[in-house]
Amino acid sequence: MPEDVSRDVREAVEAAVWAPSVHNTQPWRFAVRGARISLRADADRRLGVADPEGREMLISCGAALATLRIAVGALGREAGVRELPDPDRPHLMADVELGARALDDEHAQRLSEAVRRRRTHRGAFKHAEVRPSMLAVLRLEAEQGDVRLVQVVEEHTRQALAGLTQAAEHLLHLDTRLAGEEARWAPAPGSRRADGVHEAAYPGDAPHTEPYFPARDFARGHGWGVREGPGGGPDEPSTGLVLMLTTRGDTPLDWLRAGQALQRMLLRAAAEEDLAAAFHTQALEIPELREFIRTRFCNGRYPQMLLRLGVPEGPELATVRRPINEVIVDETGPA
């Protein structure tokens, strides 16, 4: 394999691992054979209790696939992509073939520059409006295929979704299996793990917003998290925009494409306006609540992601990723 292809393959995977994933589980592996990168779901990292069907795992893998495609384009190459190429291998998410050199893809380069800058936000937002034109751009970025990005504007609907998120958070703590699974992915301070949600990734005292969408209690009442400096809190903490990603169907392909739409939107938001997103998947992990949201607020479409978007406020948060050698396998073999 030419050296420049090998280098581009590795650079593309190094970018893909920075995609967001549920509880930062990073549920993916990348098998390399020549100029082909095969993205595989790592079922050992699936949330067995909260995500028994693997829906959130595939959304996470979809975000990694979108990042992979963007990185290949930013490297000046064409990318041939086959999604779910083998029905007999359900954990094979996609084959991405690096093709010939292409014209510079300025759009891919702009999104690629935001890959490592993007961070999941877990607090309030500044009281600053997101321009309607920006929201239109994000819709265009996300709405490819049958994925739709919907802004929740009506106040009672916003309040209802916030209330359902609060109810789901309480139900989570009542279920010892769910609570234990969440705790396994939220290590105590000082951990050297390269996955999970560490104390540097969430605020220690996020302000209350109205309506209130609670973040997950990764600190488990221990008071962990990043603290504000003196006078560092927002004067008018804002919920931000409340958005949902929905699909017509609810199949593995729908989940994979929802993850791609999510990452394209997040990178465009970060690249253009330094916007960040806070994810609220608690209610979507409880089948009865997800079905209620689908029938009452999504016109029968399937909600795949509930999130808030805005200008982040509060301390700068950090995240971790596994070393590239833990997620990439070279299957090229001898010539």
Side-chain angles (χ1 to χ4, degrees), residues 189 217-225 227:
D217 183 18
F218 289 113
R220 305 190 293 283
H222 292 291
W224 303 331
R227 298 289 170 180

PDB file of all heavy atoms in Angstrom, residues 189 217-225 227:
ATOM      1  N   PRO A 189     -12.636  10.486  40.699  1.00  0.00           N
ATOM      2  CA  PRO A 189     -11.485  11.346  40.386  1.00  0.00           C
ATOM      3  C   PRO A 189     -10.166  10.603  40.552  1.00  0.00           C
ATOM      4  O   PRO A 189     -10.007   9.773  41.447  1.00  0.00           O
ATOM      5  CB  PRO A 189     -11.621  12.472  41.415  1.00  0.00           C
ATOM      6  CG  PRO A 189     -13.088  12.548  41.702  1.00  0.00           C
ATOM      7  CD  PRO A 189     -13.566  11.121  41.656  1.00  0.00           C
ATOM      8  N   ASP A 217     -26.409  12.340  36.799  1.00  0.00           N
ATOM      9  CA  ASP A 217     -25.651  12.540  38.036  1.00  0.00           C
ATOM     10  C   ASP A 217     -24.418  11.633  38.030  1.00  0.00           C
ATOM     11  O   ASP A 217     -24.349  10.646  38.764  1.00  0.00           O
ATOM     12  CB  ASP A 217     -26.529  12.250  39.252  1.00  0.00           C
ATOM     13  CG  ASP A 217     -25.806  12.511  40.565  1.00  0.00           C
ATOM     14  OD1 ASP A 217     -24.774  13.218  40.546  1.00  0.00           O
ATOM     15  OD2 ASP A 217     -26.259  11.998  41.603  1.00  0.00           O
ATOM     16  N   PHE A 218     -23.443  11.990  37.191  1.00  0.00           N
ATOM     17  CA  PHE A 218     -22.231  11.179  37.115  1.00  0.00           C
ATOM     18  C   PHE A 218     -21.431  11.244  38.416  1.00  0.00           C
ATOM     19  O   PHE A 218     -20.652  10.348  38.717  1.00  0.00           O
ATOM     20  CB  PHE A 218     -21.359  11.632  35.941  1.00  0.00           C
ATOM     21  CG  PHE A 218     -21.935  11.281  34.593  1.00  0.00           C
ATOM     22  CD1 PHE A 218     -22.365  12.280  33.728  1.00  0.00           C
ATOM     23  CD2 PHE A 218     -22.056   9.966  34.197  1.00  0.00           C
ATOM     24  CE1 PHE A 218     -22.896  11.963  32.478  1.00  0.00           C
ATOM     25  CE2 PHE A 218     -22.593   9.631  32.959  1.00  0.00           C
ATOM     26  CZ  PHE A 218     -23.014  10.638  32.101  1.00  0.00           C
ATOM     27  N   ALA A 219     -21.621  12.308  39.188  1.00  0.00           N
ATOM     28  CA  ALA A 219     -20.894  12.431  40.455  1.00  0.00           C
ATOM     29  C   ALA A 219     -21.517  11.579  41.555  1.00  0.00           C
ATOM     30  O   ALA A 219     -20.887  11.355  42.603  1.00  0.00           O
ATOM     31  CB  ALA A 219     -20.850  13.887  40.899  1.00  0.00           C
ATOM     32  N   ARG A 220     -22.757  11.143  41.331  1.00  0.00           N
ATOM     33  CA  ARG A 220     -23.456  10.260  42.281  1.00  0.00           C
ATOM     34  C   ARG A 220     -23.489  10.841  43.704  1.00  0.00           C
ATOM     35  O   ARG A 220     -23.287  10.139  44.689  1.00  0.00           O
ATOM     36  CB  ARG A 220     -22.835   8.857  42.279  1.00  0.00           C
ATOM     37  CG  ARG A 220     -22.780   8.218  40.894  1.00  0.00           C
ATOM     38  CD  ARG A 220     -22.394   6.763  40.944  1.00  0.00           C
ATOM     39  NE  ARG A 220     -21.031   6.544  41.375  1.00  0.00           N
ATOM     40  CZ  ARG A 220     -19.948   6.727  40.618  1.00  0.00           C
ATOM     41  NH1 ARG A 220     -20.071   7.189  39.370  1.00  0.00           N
ATOM     42  NH2 ARG A 220     -18.736   6.457  41.077  1.00  0.00           N
ATOM     43  N   GLY A 221     -23.699  12.165  43.766  1.00  0.00           N
ATOM     44  CA  GLY A 221     -23.828  12.811  45.064  1.00  0.00           C
ATOM     45  C   GLY A 221     -22.527  13.080  45.788  1.00  0.00           C
ATOM     46  O   GLY A 221     -22.536  13.564  46.928  1.00  0.00           O
ATOM     47  N   HIS A 222     -21.382  12.813  45.153  1.00  0.00           N
ATOM     48  CA  HIS A 222     -20.089  13.003  45.810  1.00  0.00           C
ATOM     49  C   HIS A 222     -19.544  14.423  45.667  1.00  0.00           C
ATOM     50  O   HIS A 222     -18.510  14.749  46.253  1.00  0.00           O
ATOM     51  CB  HIS A 222     -19.059  12.020  45.245  1.00  0.00           C
ATOM     52  CG  HIS A 222     -19.338  10.582  45.596  1.00  0.00           C
ATOM     53  ND1 HIS A 222     -19.211  10.101  46.875  1.00  0.00           N
ATOM     54  CD2 HIS A 222     -19.733   9.539  44.824  1.00  0.00           C
ATOM     55  CE1 HIS A 222     -19.510   8.797  46.877  1.00  0.00           C
ATOM     56  NE2 HIS A 222     -19.845   8.436  45.652  1.00  0.00           N
ATOM     57  N   GLY A 223     -20.210  15.251  44.851  1.00  0.00           N
ATOM     58  CA  GLY A 223     -19.723  16.616  44.679  1.00  0.00           C
ATOM     59  C   GLY A 223     -18.558  16.735  43.718  1.00  0.00           C
ATOM     60  O   GLY A 223     -17.857  17.755  43.719  1.00  0.00           O
ATOM     61  N   TRP A 224     -18.330  15.720  42.903  1.00  0.00           N
ATOM     62  CA  TRP A 224     -17.245  15.798  41.918  1.00  0.00           C
ATOM     63  C   TRP A 224     -17.633  16.763  40.803  1.00  0.00           C
ATOM     64  O   TRP A 224     -18.754  17.239  40.728  1.00  0.00           O
ATOM     65  CB  TRP A 224     -16.965  14.423  41.315  1.00  0.00           C
ATOM     66  CG  TRP A 224     -16.622  13.361  42.315  1.00  0.00           C
ATOM     67  CD1 TRP A 224     -16.015  13.526  43.526  1.00  0.00           C
ATOM     68  CD2 TRP A 224     -16.882  11.964  42.196  1.00  0.00           C
ATOM     69  NE1 TRP A 224     -15.864  12.325  44.160  1.00  0.00           N
ATOM     70  CE2 TRP A 224     -16.384  11.340  43.373  1.00  0.00           C
ATOM     71  CE3 TRP A 224     -17.472  11.157  41.219  1.00  0.00           C
ATOM     72  CZ2 TRP A 224     -16.474   9.969  43.581  1.00  0.00           C
ATOM     73  CZ3 TRP A 224     -17.559   9.789  41.423  1.00  0.00           C
ATOM     74  CH2 TRP A 224     -17.061   9.204  42.592  1.00  0.00           C
ATOM     75  N   GLY A 225     -16.698  17.063  39.938  1.00  0.00           N
ATOM     76  CA  GLY A 225     -16.959  17.916  38.793  1.00  0.00           C
ATOM     77  C   GLY A 225     -16.133  19.192  38.850  1.00  0.00           C
ATOM     78  O   GLY A 225     -15.509  19.518  39.865  1.00  0.00           O
ATOM     79  N   ARG A 227     -15.473  23.043  39.094  1.00  0.00           N
ATOM     80  CA  ARG A 227     -16.118  24.152  39.804  1.00  0.00           C
ATOM     81  C   ARG A 227     -15.878  25.471  39.102  1.00  0.00           C
ATOM     82  O   ARG A 227     -14.837  25.688  38.470  1.00  0.00           O
ATOM     83  CB  ARG A 227     -15.566  24.241  41.238  1.00  0.00           C
ATOM     84  CG  ARG A 227     -15.854  23.003  42.073  1.00  0.00           C
ATOM     85  CD  ARG A 227     -17.321  22.909  42.421  1.00  0.00           C
ATOM     86  NE  ARG A 227     -17.659  21.615  43.016  1.00  0.00           N
ATOM     87  CZ  ARG A 227     -18.873  21.276  43.411  1.00  0.00           C
ATOM     88  NH1 ARG A 227     -19.861  22.151  43.272  1.00  0.00           N
ATOM     89  NH2 ARG A 227     -19.111  20.092  43.934  1.00  0.00           N
TER      90      ARG A 227
END
